[in-house]
Amino acid sequence: MGFSLRWVLRQRKGCGRADCAYARVMPRRRIRVTGTPEAPLRAALTALRTELGVPESFPPEVVAEAERAAKAPAPADREDATAIPFFTVDPPTSMDLDQAMHLSRRAGGGFRVRYAIADVAAFVVPGGALDAEAHRRVTTLYFPDEKTPLHPPLLSEGAASLLPDVTRPAVLWTIDLDADGRTGAVDVRRALVRSRAKLDYATVQRRIDAGTAEEPVALLKDIGEARERLEVERGGISLNVPEQEIFERDHTYELAYRAPLPADGWNAQISLLTGMAAADLMLAHGTGVLRTLPAAPDGAVGRLHRTAHALRIDWPHHMSYAALIRSLDPHLPHHAAFLQECTTLLRGAGYTVFRNGDLPAITTHAAVAAPYTHCTAPLRRLVDRYAAEICLSPASPPAWVLAGLDALPKEMADGSRLAGTVERECVDIVEAALLKDRVGDLFDGCVVDVEERQPTVGKVQLDAPAVVARLEGGATPLPLGERLRVRLTQADPGTSKVRFAPA
């Protein structure tokens, strides 16, 4: 069986997360790794960047062009939408704010979603130094100690970011929904916007739960839940898998498990809604770039049926895969193990371009269960700038967009592979650094993966610290989904290897 781990990087001034999904068993002592420049962890992360060829800085000509663009964005015919009180929802310390929203009720019923996306094309001249560098980088890379941005920070965290209380150029989506959350009229145009508040997920969740959120924020729950019901109806898949999270505090790095808040899901539904609307617009005009994922082969679903049986999860034949995963509780170890296995069905996503009405064979994303495209994160992802320009002029996209369209799938695939490698290696390095002085110690955990061909080998997810690592060396098959006492046998930050054996 395969194994896939969702990884999220947060930078925080303190943790204190009582809602951590797996904070049931506290460690015997607090475990940290220092992040000072001379520390082994920082040295390992620096070595990783060197090995992967990650650029240390932007070339002088790129910085110079960014400075000019920040002072004078490209002129365009823009609607003045600065009177609309937009707000953003991001991790607390994020400064590269791609999206701002305003939610309201429509007269006669239903909702209006206004979603402003940073207009990166206002700052990047096609064929210029900034554009060429963005094509080399493709996506922002996140490391525990720093990030390698797609664009210079003076743009991505400054002039182009939808920070509060400053006027910014944006691509403004206006999407009308009926009372059930179904999409009606869609409009997209260039605008000037002004965010009023920079909110984070925990704050939004707390205000909504307490009933103190103002209506534009409170409606995030109403619209998010309506869109989630429609996702169920069309057979879409949202895996509520706890995330393994690296966070920073005072130059120290720690690992924790984080179960996504409902507000995370509601916010994601607004982005999904916009990506689906953009895909429909592209398909209607015959030119675009889609994020596609083929349906999982029958054999993969059959393998999951066997996994469910091994984990003693009741999966009636009449129940769909999408319905089953929504019935699971990620706080239960055997359910969490199954949800981790479910991520294997989400592999194989890619980008598909088409033009002149010649539609591709696959136009849908199997997890979304609808056509979908990436268009809401242009500060951090190259393809989103192209998608925005196509949607703004779907009948006649700019020449530079058409010229670069065919190269996008490979560029994004290469960038996605690099980002995936960075995520995996960073978690492995931090895990090894956390545990390097504890070889021989015993830990409690849950077996979350067992190899089919070699059932004495698998993966264990510890209760604390938040580590998921290879488990091997036992004489009997590993009990998938069961709790197990394990002994740490190897933790080497230099090789990023952590190994456990059944105790």
Side-chain angles (χ1 to χ4, degrees):
M1 298 175 190
F3 179 83
S4 176
L5 175 68
R6 292 180 63 196
W7 176 85
V8 171
L9 175 64
R10 300 277 191 260
Q11 293 183 340
R12 294 198 177 128
K13 295 182 179 178
C15 181
R17 292 196 60 88
D19 60 344
C20 181
Y22 290 97
R24 300 185 308 276
V25 181
M26 298 301 294
R28 290 178 293 176
R29 62 178 185 270
R30 195 170 188 82
I31 302 178
R32 304 179 184 178
V33 268
T34 58
T36 55
E38 65 275 9
L41 173 60
R42 287 291 295 271
L45 293 171
T46 299
L48 175 63
R49 285 188 283 269
T50 300
E51 177 187 345
L52 296 177
V54 175
E56 295 182 4
S57 60
F58 286 90
E61 64 273 18
V62 174
V63 175
E65 185 176 316
E67 290 173 344
R68 292 192 297 270
K71 295 175 182 177
D77 183 16
R78 296 184 183 276
E79 175 183 304
D80 186 350
T82 55
I84 300 172
F86 288 96
F87 63 93
T88 60
V89 184
D90 289 277
T93 59
S94 292
M95 296 295 289
D96 49 347
L97 310 184
D98 290 284
Q99 316 104 7
M101 72 179 79
H102 181 268
L103 310 175
S104 59
R105 296 188 183 276
R106 295 171 58 214
F111 309 96
R112 172 160 290 175
V113 174
R114 292 186 178 95
Y115 206 40
I117 309 300
D119 190 0
V120 175
F123 301 92
V124 178
V125 177
L130 264 173
D131 186 32
E133 186 67 14
H135 278 269
R136 280 191 289 270
R137 295 184 177 226
V138 180
T139 185
T140 294
L141 300 175
Y142 293 91
F143 295 83
D145 56 340
E146 62 183 56
K147 66 182 175 184
T148 303
L150 175 62
H151 305 99
L154 66 99
L155 292 181
S156 60
E157 298 184 356
S161 178
L162 303 185
L163 298 165
D165 302 320
V166 288
T167 299
R168 291 288 187 255
V171 176
L172 178 57
W173 289 84
T174 302
I175 305 174
D176 287 342
L177 307 175
D178 66 15
D180 295 324
R182 299 183 189 278
T183 303
V186 175
D187 178 79
V188 56
R189 62 184 64 191
R190 284 195 153 90
L192 292 174
V193 302
R194 190 177 181 89
S195 173
R196 299 298 197 276
K198 180 178 181 289
L199 305 178
D200 60 77
Y201 298 103
T203 298
V204 168
Q205 188 70 58
R206 184 171 59 253
R207 291 180 182 178
I208 290 176
D209 290 346
T212 59
E214 296 181 0
E215 184 174 78
V217 177
L219 287 177
L220 183 62
K221 177 181 180 181
D222 296 343
I223 296 173
E225 289 182 343
R227 294 298 300 180
E228 286 173 343
R229 288 191 291 271
L230 292 176
E231 183 178 74
V232 173
E233 181 181 296
R234 67 176 185 268
I237 300 166
S238 291
L239 291 179
N240 188 23
V241 183
E243 299 163 342
Q244 194 178 14
E245 181 177 69
I246 300 171
F247 62 94
E248 180 268 340
R249 177 173 58 193
D250 298 330
H251 303 292
T252 293
Y253 301 95
E254 302 184 17
L255 278 167
Y257 296 119
R258 177 183 180 269
L261 296 169
D264 290 59
W266 304 332
N267 187 63
Q269 287 296 330
I270 303 298
S271 182
L272 282 169
L273 166 68
T274 308
M276 293 166 66
D280 288 342
L281 189 59
M282 291 175 177
L283 289 169
H285 287 82
T287 298
V289 52
L290 302 176
R291 181 65 167 166
T292 55
L293 175 67
D298 292 339
V301 177
R303 187 166 61 250
L304 280 181
H305 270 283
R306 294 192 295 273
T307 302
H309 178 74
L311 291 170
R312 300 184 301 282
I313 293 175
D314 184 25
W315 187 354
H317 287 288
H318 66 273
M319 179 181 287
S320 70
Y321 164 68
L324 173 71
I325 63 175
R326 285 186 171 83
S327 70
L328 302 179
D329 181 358
H331 296 79
L332 301 176
H334 62 300
H335 284 193
F338 184 76
L339 287 169
Q340 294 284 10
E341 287 296 330
C342 288
T343 61
T344 60
L345 296 193
L346 302 183
R347 296 172 183 169
Y351 294 90
T352 301
V353 301
F354 58 99
R355 60 177 73 219
N356 302 323
D358 186 13
L359 301 185
I362 298 177
T363 61
T364 60
H365 190 290
V368 181
Y372 170 68
T373 191
H374 279 157
C375 66
T376 64
L379 292 176
R380 292 169 283 171
R381 200 167 45 209
L382 173 66
V383 68
D384 297 54
R385 172 159 56 101
Y386 281 77
E389 293 304 306
I390 294 171
C391 291
L392 286 163
S393 302
S396 56
W400 66 266
V401 171
L402 296 176
L405 200 58
D406 292 336
L408 271 179
K410 184 180 186 306
E411 288 177 312
M412 293 306 303
D414 291 344
S416 296
R417 276 193 295 270
L418 177 59
T421 299
V422 167
E423 293 178 355
R424 289 190 302 272
E425 292 293 331
C426 283
V427 172
D428 289 347
I429 287 171
V430 173
E431 287 180 340
L434 278 170
L435 296 169
K436 67 182 180 66
D437 297 325
R438 300 195 64 182
V439 173
D441 284 5
L442 298 177
F443 298 83
D444 292 312
C446 175
V447 179
V448 295
D449 183 50
V450 176
E451 294 185 4
E452 283 186 313
R453 295 183 178 180
Q454 196 174 359
T456 59
V457 177
K459 290 187 182 289
V460 62
Q461 178 171 298
L462 303 188
D463 292 321
V467 168
V468 181
R470 187 174 177 87
L471 178 63
E472 60 186 11
T476 59
L478 294 173
L480 182 63
E482 298 292 335
R483 300 191 57 75
L484 194 66
R485 192 91 162 148
V486 296
R487 185 184 305 277
L488 179 63
T489 60
Q490 182 180 5
D492 182 1
T495 61
S496 308
K497 288 183 179 179
V498 175
R499 298 286 187 268
F500 289 89

